[in-house]
Amino acid sequence: GAGVSQSPSNKVTEKGKDVELRCDPISGHTALYWYRQSLGQGLEFLIYFQGNSAPDKSGLPSDRFSAERTGGSVSTLTIQRTQQEDSAVYLCASSYRGTGMDGYTFGSGTRLTVV
Amino acid sequence: EDQVTQSPEALRLQEGESSSLNCSYTVSGLRGLFWYRQDPGKGPEFLFTLYSAGEEKEKERLKATLTKKESFLHITAPKPEDSATYLCAVCEDSSYKLIFGSGTRLLVRP
């Protein structure tokens, strides 16, 4: 597609429920990244995919968070047993090269609110 | 520990009033420094990548410069449409992760 597409744009969920966030990167971009942006904070790295592999998952906050990528394209970030501190904007980005030095292209994000 | 600090946190300018935003960084080895613009409700939009001290890049009213410890984003004769949050990020040698600062919220009044 023309840009990075994320869905849903907004998600309100009850504490303890599971949520899935979807990212559709730019066609042909091999690298995909998930970041989290909390109110008033900078972007926090979560996970990096090169193709379908995730060489770096070091930013995932806990084992309640997981992500997968299929077909070298769409990625899903899953948060199990959501907590209020999970409330944030979850941003996905893709880049043509794995280094990201060509500049990431970000989606508009999913705003997650846990009540 | 790697760190990126942006200042000021917020900046109000009158249309046409030039100013600079600062990004100070501490990394063991810099692969690249990035500037992004973020509008409310949207993801960051890529502006520039700087690779080495002394490098400068320009785009319309924006000019980014880099030293060994900091980067400046100079805004010349800003317009209201330049209002946004400007984010700085660094990428360390042999890495692909961007480490972001907290951003500077810029408001340009007509």
Side-chain angles (χ1 to χ4, degrees):
Chain A
V4 177
S5 178
Q6 292 189 247
S7 61
S9 55
N10 281 285
K11 177 71 176 180
V12 180
T13 190
E14 292 181 352
K15 178 181 173 182
K17 295 287 181 69
D18 297 353
V19 294
E20 284 190 353
L21 313 180
R22 176 188 168 106
C23 173
D24 199 344
I26 292 173
S27 178
H29 279 196
T30 62
L32 186 147
Y33 314 81
W34 284 97
Y35 281 78
R36 178 168 74 174
Q37 187 173 32
S38 302
L39 190 63
Q41 302 294 316
L43 278 72
E44 173 191 6
F45 169 80
L46 297 178
I47 188 170
Y48 157 64
F49 286 94
Q50 181 60 251
N52 291 334
S53 301
D56 190 347
K57 306 178 183 180
S58 63
L60 296 178
S62 74
D63 59 8
R64 296 186 295 104
F65 287 72
S66 63
E68 64 175 11
R69 189 179 185 194
T70 56
S73 180
V74 173
S75 176
T76 302
L77 177 69
T78 301
I79 309 173
Q80 295 179 312
R81 305 181 302 282
T82 52
Q83 304 294 313
Q84 288 186 332
E85 60 262 29
D86 300 334
S87 296
V89 176
Y90 289 82
L91 290 160
C92 175
S94 68
S95 68
Y96 180 67
R97 299 194 193 98
T99 63
M101 296 305 291
D102 51 329
Y104 295 178
T105 301
F106 280 90
S108 293
T110 294
R111 180 176 298 279
L112 176 65
T113 304
V114 182
V115 297
Chain B
E1 182 179 319
D2 298 340
Q3 187 171 347
V4 180
T5 304
Q6 292 189 246
S7 61
E9 289 186 6
L11 181 62
R12 290 187 175 188
L13 298 174
Q14 204 66 35
E15 183 173 3
E17 178 187 3
S18 301
S19 188
S20 297
L21 282 55
N22 177 264
C23 172
S24 298
Y25 65 91
T26 305
V27 292
S28 55
L30 181 70
R31 189 171 198 175
L33 184 141
F34 297 75
W35 281 98
Y36 286 84
R37 169 193 171 125
Q38 186 173 25
D39 293 296
K42 296 189 176 181
E45 174 189 350
F46 172 73
L47 293 174
F48 305 109
T49 307
L50 301 168
Y51 297 96
S52 58
E55 188 176 2
E56 299 182 352
K57 288 193 176 175
E58 289 188 63
K59 179 179 180 180
E60 297 181 355
R61 294 176 293 282
L62 300 177
K63 178 180 177 180
T65 62
L66 181 66
T67 71
K68 289 186 177 181
K69 295 183 177 180
E70 58 190 350
S71 177
F72 290 94
L73 184 65
H74 306 278
I75 303 177
T76 302
K79 298 182 177 182
E81 54 261 42
D82 295 322
S83 298
T85 295
Y86 290 85
L87 299 169
C88 170
V90 298
C91 185
E92 194 180 12
D93 278 344
S94 303
S95 181
Y96 42 76
K97 292 187 288 192
L98 295 190
I99 303 166
F100 282 85
S102 297
T104 293
R105 295 189 312 278
L106 174 65
L107 176 64
V108 182
R109 295 173 290 185

